[in-house]
Amino acid sequence: MTTVFLLITAVLTALIAGLFYAYSCSVVLGLGKLSDMEYLKSMQSINREILNPVFFMSFMGTAILLPVTTFLFRGEQPAFLFLLLASAAYLIGVFGVTVAGNVPLNDMLDKFDINGSTADAISQMRGNFENRWNLLNNIRTVFSVISIVLVICGCIWNKYFPE
């Protein structure tokens, strides 16, 4: 049963790492080429659409399953240590950064009335949002990749060096 948890955890962690990686190396680059109004409208739309059950299952599922799987592997060194580090990286660098950084920015943008704002206000909103959001997303990307690498190390160790 622990192997099943480990595999599901690995898949969910990989899905989240892939999502943030794709944003970092393609989506934000494409959005960056848009006018201020097009950029803000696009980000509002993306931020609203990502709030769906599939995303929540992956994002929250990883936040739950990483610690649960780590607990299941207690006493199985070093797989436990790989999973513990993966959990810490995800919970702090991905989940924590998202909740403390990206979500407040998304909420601020969601409340912004693009159509009722001046060009200067739109430009200022983009300036207040884009660089900070992209930096936080890059942090999430790095930590989610670290998490999946550590989970893979745990999988490999569990497969080839079981206790």
Side-chain angles (χ1 to χ4, degrees):
M1 190 61 157
T2 57
T3 302
V4 171
F5 270 90
L6 183 58
L7 291 175
I8 293 169
T9 300
V11 169
L12 292 179
T13 307
L15 288 171
I16 291 300
L19 172 77
F20 293 135
Y21 174 78
Y23 261 77
S24 290
C25 71
S26 64
V27 175
V28 296
L29 299 176
L31 291 173
K33 303 216 182 298
L34 299 175
S35 71
D36 293 342
M37 182 178 280
E38 291 172 323
Y39 172 84
L40 294 178
K41 284 185 175 186
S42 295
M43 282 302 292
Q44 278 183 340
S45 181
I46 290 168
N47 290 337
R48 289 173 183 154
E49 292 303 315
I50 200 162
L51 301 176
N52 65 70
V54 174
F55 171 74
F56 282 122
M57 182 182 67
S58 302
F59 184 70
M60 298 301 292
T62 303
I64 294 166
L65 283 179
L66 267 169
V68 167
T69 303
T70 301
F71 177 78
L72 293 175
F73 277 83
R74 68 194 182 284
E76 296 184 35
Q77 307 293 347
F80 171 79
L81 292 175
F82 287 129
L83 294 170
L84 183 63
L85 292 171
S87 294
Y90 187 85
L91 292 173
I92 296 166
V94 180
F95 190 83
V97 167
T98 299
V99 170
N102 293 91
V103 169
L105 286 172
N106 293 347
D107 290 344
M108 176 185 72
L109 180 59
D110 192 55
K111 293 175 184 148
F112 185 69
D113 178 15
I114 297 169
N115 294 325
S117 297
T118 65
D120 285 341
I122 291 170
S123 178
Q124 184 178 6
M125 175 55 83
R126 182 177 185 169
N128 292 336
F129 179 87
E130 184 176 21
N131 289 336
R132 185 163 177 226
W133 194 96
N134 288 345
L135 172 64
L136 293 170
N137 189 67
N138 287 336
I139 291 168
R140 296 186 303 185
T141 301
V142 168
F143 278 92
S144 62
V145 170
I146 289 168
S147 294
I148 189 56
V149 167
L150 290 166
V151 171
I152 290 169
C153 288
C155 288
I156 291 169
W157 199 270
N158 183 56
K159 168 73 175 152
Y160 294 105
F161 307 103
E163 294 264 328

